[in-house]
Amino acid sequence: MGRTLVELFYDVVSPYSWLGFEVLCRYQHIWNIDLRFRPAFLGGIMQATGNKPPAMLPKRGEYMLKDLERMGKYYQVPVTISASDFQRILGKSSLGAMRFITAIDMTQPKYLETLSREFWMRFWSQHEDISQMESIVAVAGRAGLSSEFTQKLLDMISSPEVKNRLKETTEEAIKYGAFGMPAVVAHFNGKPHLFFGSDRLELLANVIGEKWLGPVPSVPSSKM
Ligand SMILES: N[C@@H](CCC(=O)N[C@@H](CS)C(=O)NCC(=O)O)C(=O)O
């Protein structure tokens, strides 16, 4: 049987996207899948669908603090969160960061995984800004990009090519039915199947005929 294309639509402002991202990064070496990262803009999805960040409902916000802490431990992803984080997040835009990530996708996609992870690390583990230029430069440095290349990407983020690519990817996610993130689209049996949430990857496995080995699977020796 051929490999299943699995697309992950994500934004680094979304902590649940980080969880889904890390689990899929682990499973790409175990399942018969081709994993494709699709950096998109959560704000655009929210606006187009009329959705709102879940923590805007205070009781859900309270629950999410506990949920993320437990999920981070269980999924072995160093996400940490405090009540003041929600305020911090609601006031910040990830547009610059997502344009920067889009620019790397268009030029040197081999850095996409590391760069995205470093943005999550900074925002969701170290609780530092990712919207200012200096913050983006710091993240790029941690991902191993040279300062010349970082400058080239910074010059690109205001170009119509990068803006349009991010817009198109976001529209594609919406076309698949996304209303939040992570949005995972598996192309199976000639059709796209949308899964919402880092907690639906077990279900994804079932639908594409793969085995769910928990969020931290050990790689079978035959695949090493
Ligand atoms: N249960 C999901 C929750 C995912 C989630 O809440 N994602 C946020 C962004 S971090 C979102 O887009 N929510 C939209 C919604 O819940 O309608 C999971 O475990 O991943």
Side-chain angles (χ1 to χ4, degrees), residues 99 153-160 162-163:
R99 282 186 180 149
L153 296 170
L154 284 173
D155 293 341
M156 279 177 75
I157 62 177
S158 45
S159 70
V162 169
K163 289 183 178 175

Side-chain angles (χ1 to χ4, degrees), residues 13-17 19 42 46 51-54 60 64 67 71 75 179-182 196-200:
V13 79
S14 155
Y16 286 103
S17 292
L19 300 175
L42 182 58
M46 291 291 183
N51 201 352
K52 291 192 182 69
R60 181 169 295 153
M64 273 177 73
D67 188 53
M71 287 285 274
Y75 277 44
F179 53 88
M181 282 179 169
F196 167 63
S198 58
D199 54 356
R200 284 296 180 272

Side-chain angles (χ1 to χ4, degrees), residues 112-123:
L112 190 53
E113 181 180 328
T114 315
L115 182 71
S116 303
R117 182 175 291 119
E118 290 299 340
F119 270 107
W120 274 304
M121 276 288 192
R122 182 172 169 99
F123 198 56

